[in-house]
């Protein structure tokens, strides 16, 4: 049967190992332990400590890089959306120009109906929120449902009539990164219509 006296947590195991080494010195003569046997645990302790420190540093670097990437992408999306709004309000703007720039979806058969329409949503992790960008199409807005942490069922988060939408709820467990999933349907005359969007998922840490 496997031993269970060792802590499962790596950080707690390192603390346990420190204590074990300190106390083992008292019993070297009693058990006739060699210097090599005792030194092995010091070597193990140093190796574990160095690797845990290195991995922790890499995790922090990765989290910082991901955060920067998400912010850069979100800012780029905002710049495009802001300029698209300016262009669409300009008297010289036409649908043809919009389609050529890719700031409107090209017309497709049945585009005026939302019965089989499917929202496109994009989720981005920011410092203080999860940001949801979505395309309005022919709808009045979207209704967004979410689940987070250990939740298994989607519940209604909110209705939104102008992209983007920000989810600023604090994490269920303070200080613990939380997985959040979202999906949406179009709204027309305050009624949910069309198909569900694809699920989008982000990890947030909001306190």
């Amino acid at each position: 049967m496997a031993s269970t006296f060792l802590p499962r947590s790596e950080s707690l195991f390192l603390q346990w190992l420190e204590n074990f080494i300190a106390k083992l010195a008292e019993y070297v003569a009693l058990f006739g332990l060699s210097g090599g046997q005792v030194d092995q645990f010091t070597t193990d302790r140093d190796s574990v400590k160095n690797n845990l420190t290195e991995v922790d540093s890499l995790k922090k670097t990765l989290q910082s890089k991901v955060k920067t990437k998400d912010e850069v992408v979100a800012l780029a999306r905002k710049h495009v959306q802001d300029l698209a709004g300016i262009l669409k309000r300009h008297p010289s703007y036409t649908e043809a120009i919009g389609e050529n720039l890719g700031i409107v979806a090209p017309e497709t058969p049945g585009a005026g109906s939302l019965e089989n329409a499917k929202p496109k949503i994009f989720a981005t992790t920011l410092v203080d929120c999860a940001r949801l960008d979505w395309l309005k199409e022919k709808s009045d807005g979207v209704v967004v449902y979410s689940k987070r942490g250990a939740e298994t069922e989607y519940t209604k988060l909110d209705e939104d009539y102008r992209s983007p939408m920000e989810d600023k709820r604090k994490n269920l467990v303070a200080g613990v990164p939380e997985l959040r999933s979202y999906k949406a349907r179009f709204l027309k005359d305050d009624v949910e219509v069309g198909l569900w969007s694809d699920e989008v998922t982000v990890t947030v840490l909001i306190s």
Side-chain angles (χ1 to χ4, degrees):
M1 184 175 181
S3 174
T4 58
F5 63 83
L6 293 175
R8 290 183 177 274
S9 165
E10 292 174 342
S11 60
L12 291 180
F13 171 64
L14 180 59
Q15 294 177 23
W16 182 95
L17 198 54
E18 292 276 14
N19 180 71
F20 179 74
I21 292 170
K23 299 295 177 62
L24 185 62
E26 302 175 20
Y27 304 107
V28 170
L30 178 64
F31 290 104
L33 300 176
S34 68
Q37 286 176 304
V38 175
D39 290 343
Q40 178 62 60
F41 294 105
T42 302
T43 300
D44 289 341
R45 185 269 318 278
D46 292 343
S47 182
V48 169
K49 185 175 183 179
N50 291 338
N51 278 273
L52 287 179
T53 300
E54 182 179 3
V55 169
D56 185 59
S57 176
L58 289 172
K59 284 181 179 178
K60 290 178 179 177
T61 300
L62 178 59
Q63 289 173 350
S64 176
K65 292 290 186 182
V66 170
K67 175 183 172 183
T68 300
K69 179 267 296 180
D70 289 343
E71 291 175 346
V72 167
V73 172
L75 186 61
R77 289 186 185 278
K78 183 179 184 302
H79 288 162
V80 172
Q81 290 174 331
D82 290 347
L83 183 58
I86 293 173
L87 297 180
K88 290 178 180 179
R89 291 190 293 271
H90 195 280
S92 299
Y93 176 81
T94 65
E95 284 293 307
I97 292 175
E99 290 181 5
N100 192 40
L101 290 172
I103 58 176
V104 294
E107 291 292 335
T108 55
S113 171
L114 293 173
E115 183 178 351
N116 296 308
K118 181 179 180 180
K120 293 181 180 178
I121 62 174
F122 311 90
T124 306
T125 301
L126 299 182
V127 176
D128 62 344
C129 70
R131 169 172 164 153
L132 300 174
D133 293 274
W134 50 273
L135 303 181
K136 192 171 186 178
E137 306 292 349
K138 303 292 183 179
S139 72
D140 296 329
V142 292
V143 56
V144 177
Y145 287 72
S146 77
K147 63 179 179 179
R148 55 182 179 150
E151 294 175 351
T152 58
E153 300 292 333
Y154 273 95
T155 57
K156 183 177 178 179
L157 175 60
D158 204 353
E159 296 177 358
D160 195 39
Y161 295 88
R162 183 175 180 179
S163 180
M165 176 182 184
E166 294 182 345
D167 179 6
K168 293 189 175 183
R169 294 174 296 172
K170 295 182 179 180
N171 284 32
L172 292 171
V173 181
V176 178
E178 180 175 281
L179 192 68
R180 296 188 184 181
S181 299
Y182 302 91
K183 64 179 181 179
R185 291 181 74 192
F186 282 125
L187 286 172
K188 190 67 176 179
D189 299 325
D190 296 323
V191 176
E192 294 184 26
V193 295
L195 307 175
W196 286 107
S197 70
D198 292 333
E199 179 184 83
V200 294
T201 301
V202 291
T203 300
V204 299
L205 183 56
I206 304 172
S207 57

